[in-house]
Amino acid sequence: MSLLTIQDLTVEFPTRRQLFTAVDHASLSVEPGEIHGLVGESGAGKSTIGAAVMGLLERPGRIAGGQIKLGGDQISGIDVEAMRGLRGKKISMIFQDPLTSLNPLFTVREQLVETIQAHLGGSEAEANKRARDLIDRVGIPDPDTRLDQYPHQFSGGMRQRVVIALALCTEPDVIIADEPTTALDVSVQAQILDLIKELAQERQVGVILITHDMGVIADTTDRVTVMYAGKVVESGTTAQVMGQPQHEYTKSLIAAVPRPTLKLHRFPQISYGGRETRFAIEDMARHWPKVDNDTSKPVYEIRNLTKKFLQRRGLLPWDRTYFTAVDDVSFDIQAGEVFGVVGESGSGKSTVARMIAGLYPVDGGTISFQGKLVSDLSDRAVQDEYRKNIQMIFQDPYSSLNPRMRVDEIVAEPIRHHKLMSGTDIKRRVDELLDQVGLGHEAGQKYPHEFSGGQRQRISIARALATQPRFLICDEPTSALDVSIQAQILNILKDLQEHLGLTMLFISHDLPVVRQMCDRVAVMKQGQMVEIQETSDLFANPQTDYARELLRLMPKLDDLSTDGLGEREE
Amino acid sequence: MFAYIVRRMFQSVIVLLVVGLVAFSMFRFVGDPIDNMLGQERTQADIDRLRTELGLDQPFVVQYAKFLQGAVQGNFGVSYRQGRPVSTILIERAPATLELAFVSGFLAITLGIALGVFTAIRRQGIAANVIMTVSLIGVSLPTFLIGILLIYIFSVELDLLPSFGRGETVMIGSWSTGFLTASGLKALILPAITLGLYQMTLIMRLVRSEMLEVLRADYVRFARARGLSERVINFRHALKNTLVPVITITGLQLGSIIAFAIITETVFQWPGVGLLFINAIQFVDIPVMAAYLMLISVMFVTINLIVDLLYYAIDPRLRVDARAT
Amino acid sequence: MTDTMETTKSAPKSRLAKFWDSDFAWSFRHSPVAVIASLVVVVLVLAAIFAPLIAPYNPFDPATLNLMNGFTPPGTPNAFTQETFLLGTDDQGRDVFSTILYGLRISLFVGVSAVLLALIIGVILGLIAAYFGGWIETLIMRIADVQLTFPAILVAMLIFGIAKGITPPEYRDEMAIYVLIIAIALSDWVQFARVVRGAALVEKNKEYVQAARLIGRGSFPIMFRHILPNVLSPVLVIATISLALAIIAEATLSFLGVGAPPTQPSLGTLIRIGQGFLFSGEWWILFFPACTLLALALSVNLLGDWLRDALNPKLR
């Protein structure tokens, strides 16, 4: 018999306007020692299943049908007290963000001992011993000292290990891990996933691993269930679902995943569940000023760029401490190329982008654009001219558009500011842009919250193109988007570069995406640029240990189906 | 730890110096002290003599320094209205205010926290909702109306408790206390409730909203997911986290008890420093106003310092940051 | 979710219909407390604005006063003049209903003006502190912190006391109302500054602000055109709660005799006058102004409470 069985589960959230069915007749089961992946894009209902199993559905959500069985006993619909007895003891949970899932005012020992005693009883000494063993087991060095520390004294990865220890401390049969590595860096992510795999094997725990990341699914899980709009669309062993997907949605989802091993000309367009919106690049190219990309001279010459942030304030200069975010970085960007910068969080890649964009003043070094020095922010005339020529696409489409401004005002703002046109010309230009990015000019009358993430990113693109810039900075432009939307946006960016002759700086932590997008790549580590290479050379033959390590940790995705990927470039 | 306290003390001293400057400026520029101290029958010679005597012919900075020097020694000059040294008057009046503030502060904090926790945990319950509604009336009722209402019910209609004054007091050294006599205690009841009620409602509403916020936090969800009992979650995990912000604001509230004492003392003719202050404002008795200002700022600064230390004791994040610096 | 165009194809609606359909308007319509409270506020505000038209007597016109009418209980005819007053009269024969209407006018005028002034000062300083940071922020927030240590009512009293010392005695009554407004505003701006700074610090780091800076927009357009509209909802909540506090503060100061003078009585002054007669049995002189004050403060507080929940900003 399966450890955990979910049958025909339906979860509803009654709202004022309608009854929203978050999970619609979903079924799945988990065996001992098995890691069962639950994958889908945002809003697919995967986290809701986790919460329903734990009995932690947020109001006003409710289980409207079906059942959940734990080792043969029904646990859906049982009373609150009985459920509390099961929680922690039989089923446990790991949350996404280790930063907020530990109580900041209690030591690790206090939190562990309290949980152990609540479920297993026993003496304080026994609980203490058990706590120490667990901390040791999840790979935290020096357990005796670490036990008496507070959560804020641990790094992100170590904290997630503490969370795992807490989830394990009463020997549960099932653990639900809801995006357990999304908040972590790639290198830490790999370690945490390995730990979960080992522990599941060793203790014969069934794990439901909820994630949106196909790489995590392919590398970690035994079986996988794919969800779309609250429904289970496909289920099976990971090899089977990833290698020979049956359902159209699964196929399109897998096709949209960027591969590290092969470079595509364009991502296959996902057509499942909605019409594809056309991006009218030819139309746009016709109206674009002719660009003559002179390749003899670099567009950007960046020399010895340095940025320090104040880490601790102090009245006296010697009381202050600084954190060097960017440390003596030099590189060139050629006209018409896409120059990528990769690195983990805190490596300084976004800071470089922001200095080039003129958002941060530089603390050392120079930035020259088309032969002119632009790193002196006080030179108004040069800055004004410069700002017409560069634009930026931001990471988070939910925060990059002012929620209180209408879409046409947002797109018109750069034109108005630079006084490029006036009156009706502005309106015509804005309508044209919105039509071209595939939203239709009616979109101008609305506010950003009326659009989805992908649509918002198109609005961002329309704004960025309003001044007909020569250079585009993309700071993780797709990392907040679902994989299918990511494919669309990446295609648009490729079109822009190809048809309009735009030069781009492309910042990303995601190596496969960089592989698809960039001509040359720089690798950053702790504020320094450790390696700059042609993209294909970097992936084939990394020169530094750090780059080799990053490539090693990258999910390989070799087993993913390659159906429908279309034209390949290499 | 040591550096942290020293930094806090340093800030407190700056606050006191600024307040001192305000008080001194009042002295110096609001109304002419000469006008206030000499009657109509004055000669230019009198004025000049007094000007030199008071040091008013010296530069501003010197005068300020002298004022501070006097203030540190408890010398705030002579009340324009009563003609007695301000420090003597303050020492006479302070015990009444402090006793009143202490009792109502205690009531406000204990009841406020208890009711706040209750209404947060049982936020769907009938009792909690009734308390919340009543508390809104409490916040909307000005302190002086509460006082008048209590006097009307308990003194005028029921004739149970005195409507003004402190009752009999006993002198312990220079401290006159009302705690030791029956009439003193009886006289304390209505003013203490009047003064404490408003603060209690504020503390209660604050504790409730902070606690509700904490109860939504991820670590509380995780504690629930580990199957800890509601009691442990509410009283161990949530309450301790709630206390961190509550302590700061409660400290400020305690400060305002001393200020609101002015109103209560007026309604009940309670012979404390608040009543003294309000009379001083009406008669523009600047030395008394300045001294009162200095006195309560010392109290506020002390309360704030205690709050900071408590904060430090509760939140380990501060401890480590302080150690690192 | 797929990137479909469905959402953008719905029929265009008028702004009013859109607002009526919004969650905000919906939660208002479904909250009896909010509806009743706003009705009370509207009635009281209208009564204050149209006081000269509604009031049966002008309580400040000595010609209409008859001392013989003094202490007439509500609803019963006066023993000497046989005149009837809805809410009775005070010691000088002034109609209590009329004095309440005029008192309400002064209370609301002082409360609203003080909050507006505090709002303007607080919002501007809060935005500047958040946007520029550095020593400007330290300076503004230090002042705010120090002032916050001192309860608003005390600060207001001090400012009133100082102003009284500066102004010549013959202007004191005339100036009192304006001094009161400034005193309350200066004691209350800190709330706005802190809330605006907190919200603006969050907004400032959002990417739309970076986008505006990238275009080259200057500091002030960004602060007022981009950030300000996004921090208005907590400001609205604070303003509502502050209005209740300002009305109470005004009443308190007037009650203590350091606010509105007897020649221009506010509700607080009326209560101060009425207190003297409470114990001798003339309860109505105090009771009706007190009820009006409570109704006003309570309704505004209820509205503020509801607004806070409806807009649900992270507020302290």
Side-chain angles (χ1 to χ4, degrees):
Chain A
M1 188 193 303
S2 300
L3 211 49
L4 179 76
T5 322
I6 298 170
Q7 258 169 15
D8 283 332
L9 181 71
T10 300
V11 179
E12 291 173 348
F13 285 83
T15 67
R16 165 192 153 204
R17 289 167 206 277
Q18 83 237 30
L19 188 69
F20 173 64
T21 309
V23 178
D24 190 0
H25 295 280
S27 302
L28 64 95
S29 62
V30 184
E31 308 299 323
E34 174 190 87
I35 299 186
H36 192 117
L38 197 51
V39 71
E41 296 184 286
S42 53
K46 50 194 196 304
S47 289
T48 313
I49 290 189
V53 172
M54 294 300 294
L56 290 175
L57 278 177
E58 304 227 352
R59 279 164 192 278
R62 55 162 194 253
I63 295 179
Q67 48 189 338
I68 304 167
K69 282 183 177 169
L70 185 67
D73 304 322
Q74 177 152 341
I75 61 166
S76 51
I78 63 172
D79 74 83
V80 184
E81 276 310 309
M83 193 63 219
R84 171 157 42 247
L86 292 176
R87 278 205 293 261
K89 186 156 188 173
K90 293 272 182 188
I91 33 175
S92 212
M93 189 153 184
I94 300 169
F95 290 99
Q96 172 173 350
D97 190 354
L99 218 81
T100 54
S101 38
L102 295 171
N103 191 329
L105 304 187
F106 293 97
T107 62
V108 169
R109 183 196 298 278
E110 283 167 333
Q111 303 193 41
L112 274 165
V113 166
E114 150 193 275
T115 313
I116 294 168
Q117 287 196 312
H119 288 289
L120 305 179
S123 71
E124 182 114 20
E126 283 166 14
N128 265 316
K129 186 179 174 308
R130 200 177 162 76
R132 192 201 170 280
D133 291 347
L134 269 167
I135 286 295
D136 195 28
R137 178 63 198 92
V138 294
I140 295 176
D142 192 12
D144 291 310
T145 333
R146 298 297 257 171
L147 264 178
D148 287 312
Q149 290 184 336
Y150 289 93
H152 69 269
Q153 290 164 289
F154 290 76
S155 68
M158 283 296 157
R159 265 190 234 191
Q160 198 62 306
R161 286 173 194 266
V162 174
V163 171
I164 292 173
L166 271 165
L168 279 174
C169 65
T170 49
E171 299 281 346
D173 299 332
V174 178
I175 291 180
I176 295 166
D178 191 352
E179 304 270 5
T181 56
T182 307
L184 303 173
D185 266 331
V186 197
S187 52
V188 184
Q189 164 174 333
Q191 295 165 14
I192 296 290
L193 289 174
D194 283 347
L195 178 67
I196 293 177
K197 252 201 287 203
E198 270 172 48
L199 290 169
Q201 268 302 314
E202 177 186 305
R203 304 186 175 217
Q204 287 298 297
V205 184
V207 178
I208 295 184
L209 182 70
I210 299 168
T211 182
H212 68 282
D213 188 333
M214 299 302 266
V216 170
I217 290 287
D219 281 3
T220 317
T221 60
D222 303 308
R223 294 177 67 81
V224 62
T225 295
V226 185
M227 293 194 68
Y228 174 74
K231 293 192 178 70
V232 169
V233 295
E234 188 161 357
S235 189
T237 64
T238 303
Q240 182 198 331
V241 174
M242 295 288 118
Q244 287 120 21
Q246 300 301 308
H247 194 275
E248 282 308 309
Y249 175 70
T250 320
K251 281 184 195 166
S252 61
L253 189 64
I254 290 174
V257 177
R259 307 304 163 84
T261 41
L262 41 118
K263 182 169 182 176
L264 306 172
H265 177 60
R266 288 290 182 278
F267 286 95
Q269 295 293 2
I270 289 209
S271 52
Y272 190 82
R275 253 172 332 116
E276 167 55 22
T277 33
R278 201 180 65 91
F279 182 80
I281 186 64
E282 293 84 4
D283 195 23
M284 190 177 276
R286 226 173 297 129
H287 297 95
W288 204 263
K290 203 79 201 107
V291 189
D292 185 21
N293 275 328
D294 174 13
T295 45
S296 66
K297 212 160 72 212
V299 183
Y300 271 106
E301 288 164 273
I302 286 149
R303 295 289 171 270
N304 311 101
L305 202 59
T306 301
K307 180 79 197 169
K308 288 177 177 150
F309 287 112
L310 197 59
Q311 205 168 30
R312 192 165 74 83
R313 290 176 185 221
L315 202 58
L316 305 168
W318 54 85
D319 251 7
R320 299 173 193 151
T321 49
Y322 292 92
F323 163 72
T324 308
V326 175
D327 187 4
D328 197 15
V329 163
S330 304
F331 59 95
D332 290 342
I333 300 177
Q334 304 296 331
E337 78 169 342
V338 178
F339 186 84
V341 179
V342 288
E344 295 190 289
S345 60
S347 61
K349 55 189 192 305
S350 281
T351 312
V352 169
R354 267 143 218 257
M355 279 194 283
I356 293 176
L359 293 175
Y360 290 161
V362 301
D363 287 335
T366 55
I367 302 170
S368 302
F369 178 71
Q370 293 175 329
K372 270 199 215 96
L373 184 73
V374 293
S375 48
D376 176 14
L377 297 183
S378 59
D379 190 340
R380 303 286 315 182
V382 171
Q383 285 297 316
D384 266 359
E385 187 52 36
Y386 177 52
R387 287 179 190 287
K388 270 182 233 170
N389 279 309
I390 61 158
Q391 265 301 334
M392 186 155 173
I393 300 195
F394 293 90
Q395 172 175 3
D396 180 3
Y398 290 89
S399 92
S400 63
L401 304 174
N402 187 338
R404 301 279 166 151
M405 274 167 86
R406 238 169 44 191
V407 168
D408 54 357
E409 295 169 17
I410 291 174
V411 177
E413 193 180 22
I415 309 176
R416 287 220 169 87
H417 177 76
H418 291 297
K419 302 189 174 64
L420 298 177
M421 295 176 187
S422 60
T424 48
D425 285 347
I426 297 182
K427 178 160 172 29
R428 214 182 37 243
R429 179 98 188 92
V430 170
D431 286 352
E432 219 172 74
L433 277 164
L434 289 172
D435 279 335
Q436 286 163 347
V437 296
L439 292 173
H441 59 269
E442 321 77 85
Q445 301 300 310
K446 303 190 169 203
Y447 286 87
H449 71 263
E450 297 173 64
F451 296 92
S452 69
Q455 289 172 327
R456 285 168 188 233
Q457 208 58 315
R458 284 169 190 254
I459 298 172
S460 273
I461 292 174
R463 169 177 62 189
L465 298 179
T467 54
Q468 302 195 318
R470 301 284 315 279
F471 183 71
L472 204 54
I473 299 166
C474 305
D475 187 3
E476 305 256 13
T478 58
S479 64
L481 300 175
D482 277 327
V483 62
S484 57
I485 314 290
Q486 163 172 293
Q488 291 179 21
I489 299 296
L490 292 180
N491 279 352
I492 293 175
L493 293 176
K494 281 190 168 205
D495 281 342
L496 292 179
Q497 188 242 344
E498 205 167 282
H499 292 273
L500 306 182
L502 288 183
T503 312
M504 284 190 206
L505 175 66
F506 192 94
I507 312 287
S508 182
H509 69 284
D510 189 333
L511 282 165
V513 167
V514 167
R515 167 89 170 175
Q516 303 303 318
M517 293 299 298
C518 302
D519 300 310
R520 287 193 305 144
V521 187
V523 180
M524 284 194 74
K525 181 196 179 192
Q526 288 166 9
Q528 288 174 331
M529 217 163 249
V530 292
E531 186 167 347
I532 304 178
Q533 282 225 56
E534 294 282 322
T535 310
S536 49
D537 293 344
L538 177 81
F539 278 76
N541 191 14
Q543 294 300 303
T544 52
D545 288 345
Y546 184 67
R548 262 192 290 279
E549 178 67 6
L550 278 184
L551 286 171
R552 189 184 67 76
L553 292 166
M554 177 176 71
K556 292 299 167 293
L557 305 171
D558 289 336
D559 302 331
L560 254 62
S561 159
T562 52
D563 288 352
L565 287 185
E567 190 186 337
R568 281 161 219 189
E569 289 195 340
E570 289 154 42
Chain B
M1 171 79 188
F2 183 67
Y4 178 79
I5 294 177
V6 168
R7 204 163 58 221
R8 279 324 205 174
M9 302 258 274
F10 182 65
Q11 284 171 0
S12 306
V13 169
I14 289 182
V15 169
L16 284 180
L17 284 178
V18 171
V19 174
L21 191 64
V22 171
F24 171 68
S25 310
M26 274 166 52
F27 240 135
R28 185 67 191 78
F29 301 111
V30 178
D32 190 347
I34 309 281
D35 263 0
N36 284 307
M37 296 175 83
L38 292 176
Q40 295 296 322
E41 316 274 311
R42 58 189 179 200
T43 62
Q44 191 57 41
D46 284 341
I47 294 175
D48 289 342
R49 184 177 44 77
L50 193 62
R51 193 172 285 279
T52 323
E53 218 169 79
L54 293 176
L56 293 181
D57 52 346
Q58 282 164 324
F60 183 81
V61 183
V62 177
Q63 289 185 43
Y64 179 44
K66 280 202 168 153
F67 169 81
L68 282 180
Q69 203 182 352
V72 169
Q73 292 161 356
N75 177 12
F76 291 97
V78 175
S79 161
Y80 296 162
R81 189 160 156 261
Q82 303 192 19
R84 293 195 293 151
V86 175
S87 48
T88 322
I89 304 175
L90 280 180
I91 288 172
E92 261 169 39
R93 296 282 197 125
T97 298
L98 288 175
E99 286 186 358
L100 176 63
F102 175 77
V103 172
S104 38
F106 181 77
L107 278 179
I109 291 180
T110 46
L111 285 177
I113 291 182
L115 286 176
V117 170
F118 175 78
T119 48
I121 295 172
R122 297 275 165 80
R123 69 179 176 287
Q124 310 291 341
I126 296 167
N129 278 312
V130 170
I131 293 175
M132 281 307 290
T133 314
V134 172
S135 80
L136 210 53
I137 299 178
V139 178
S140 310
L141 256 180
T143 310
F144 64 91
L145 268 184
I146 298 176
I148 293 174
L149 197 71
L150 290 177
I151 292 178
Y152 188 71
I153 297 173
F154 292 99
S155 307
V156 178
E157 291 295 324
L158 301 175
D159 200 19
L160 285 175
L161 297 165
S163 66
F164 65 90
R166 279 187 88 190
E168 281 172 50
T169 54
V170 176
M171 295 296 287
I172 300 175
S174 60
W175 184 281
S176 73
T177 178
F179 283 160
L180 298 176
T181 62
S183 80
L185 287 175
K186 261 174 101 175
L188 188 61
I189 296 176
L190 291 185
I193 293 177
T194 306
L195 183 52
L197 205 61
Y198 182 71
Q199 309 299 325
M200 188 202 81
T201 30
L202 283 185
I203 293 176
M204 181 198 113
R205 294 175 70 82
L206 173 77
V207 169
R208 175 178 177 272
S209 68
E210 287 298 335
M211 183 124 176
L212 285 180
E213 191 129 308
V214 170
L215 285 175
R216 276 196 295 269
D218 263 1
Y219 53 81
V220 169
R221 283 178 65 212
F222 187 41
R224 256 198 204 114
R226 299 202 303 273
L228 298 181
S229 71
E230 284 300 309
R231 196 174 47 81
V232 170
I233 291 173
N234 287 333
F235 291 102
R236 209 170 118 82
H237 287 258
L239 188 58
K240 196 168 180 186
N241 281 283
T242 305
L243 283 182
V244 175
V246 163
I247 281 178
T248 332
I249 305 189
T250 306
L252 293 178
Q253 290 303 323
L254 279 186
S256 66
I257 276 195
I258 293 168
F260 276 91
I262 300 171
I263 303 161
T264 314
E265 288 178 13
T266 310
V267 175
F268 289 91
Q269 291 299 306
W270 187 265
V273 285
L275 196 58
L276 182 73
F277 178 63
I278 200 76
N279 290 333
I281 289 185
Q282 274 155 355
F283 292 96
V284 199
D285 192 347
I286 298 291
V288 174
M289 282 166 72
Y292 178 81
L293 186 62
M294 289 305 286
L295 183 76
I296 60 168
S297 50
V298 169
M299 276 187 219
F300 288 165
V301 162
T302 316
I303 290 173
N304 271 347
L305 205 61
I306 295 172
V307 163
D308 281 336
L309 292 180
L310 270 179
Y311 217 98
Y312 185 86
I314 283 194
D315 196 337
R317 284 164 293 191
L318 275 180
R319 282 206 288 275
V320 169
D321 289 350
R323 197 181 305 154
T325 58
Chain C
M1 297 212 178
T2 46
D3 200 7
T4 62
M5 291 298 298
E6 282 151 353
T7 50
T8 58
K9 283 286 193 283
S10 57
K13 287 183 196 157
S14 77
R15 295 193 99 175
L16 199 68
K18 254 188 185 171
F19 179 74
W20 183 249
D21 199 38
S22 68
D23 289 341
F24 183 76
W26 186 87
S27 85
F28 181 78
R29 277 179 282 146
H30 286 73
S31 161
V33 172
V35 173
I36 293 172
S38 51
L39 273 180
V40 173
V41 172
V42 167
V43 167
L44 289 175
V45 168
L46 288 180
I49 292 175
F50 297 109
L53 298 178
I54 304 168
Y57 302 89
N58 181 351
F60 308 113
D61 183 1
T64 66
L65 290 182
N66 184 351
L67 274 177
M68 298 289 277
N69 279 333
F71 299 124
T72 312
T76 48
N78 181 280
F80 306 104
T81 60
Q82 301 304 318
E83 280 188 74
T84 312
F85 298 91
L86 182 62
L87 302 180
T89 61
D90 66 5
D91 53 331
Q92 300 173 41
R94 290 190 289 199
D95 175 40
V96 170
F97 179 59
S98 303
T99 53
I100 287 178
L101 286 177
Y102 280 91
L104 191 61
R105 219 172 139 87
I106 290 172
S107 288
L108 270 172
F109 174 69
V110 172
V112 170
S113 316
V115 168
L116 279 182
L117 190 59
L119 186 147
I120 292 169
I121 299 173
V123 165
I124 291 177
L125 288 182
L127 273 180
I128 288 177
Y131 191 79
F132 291 109
W135 66 267
I136 295 184
E137 182 182 24
T138 314
L139 181 72
I140 293 176
M141 296 328 286
R142 275 286 144 225
I143 294 174
D145 281 351
V146 171
Q147 195 183 318
L148 202 67
T149 355
F150 294 86
I153 194 106
L154 186 69
V155 175
M157 272 184 219
L158 266 179
I159 295 172
F160 193 90
I162 294 172
K164 202 170 173 181
I166 298 173
T167 46
E170 56 271 28
Y171 294 117
R172 275 185 196 164
D173 273 8
E174 231 166 277
M175 302 285 291
I177 296 287
Y178 301 99
V179 170
L180 202 53
I181 290 172
I182 291 169
I184 295 175
L186 287 185
S187 66
D188 197 36
W189 69 273
V190 175
Q191 298 294 339
F192 289 96
R194 284 168 67 100
V195 165
V196 166
R197 173 176 164 270
L201 277 180
V202 175
E203 295 297 322
K204 178 189 163 189
N205 287 321
K206 288 198 179 162
E207 289 170 344
Y208 71 85
V209 174
Q210 308 279 329
R213 289 181 56 202
L214 184 82
I215 293 169
R217 301 289 277 170
S219 305
F220 285 91
I222 291 178
M223 274 159 60
F224 291 98
R225 178 102 177 79
H226 285 274
I227 299 180
L228 183 60
N230 286 293
V231 300
L232 278 184
S233 46
V235 169
L236 188 64
V237 176
I238 291 286
T240 317
I241 294 167
S242 284
L243 179 61
L245 287 175
I247 289 169
I248 292 176
E250 184 278 326
T252 305
L253 292 173
S254 297
F255 173 81
L256 293 174
V258 293
T263 51
Q264 280 175 293
S266 72
L267 291 176
T269 324
L270 294 180
I271 294 170
R272 175 185 170 84
I273 295 169
Q275 190 201 9
F277 305 110
L278 180 65
F279 308 122
S280 51
E282 285 84 18
W283 53 271
W284 59 90
I285 305 176
L286 179 133
F287 182 75
F288 293 113
C291 283
T292 315
L293 178 63
L294 178 61
L296 180 62
L298 184 60
S299 311
V300 174
N301 262 333
L302 283 169
L303 268 185
D305 217 41
W306 170 81
L307 261 181
R308 183 200 298 263
D309 290 348
L311 297 172
N312 197 20
K314 294 264 174 196
L315 272 177
R316 270 288 124 85

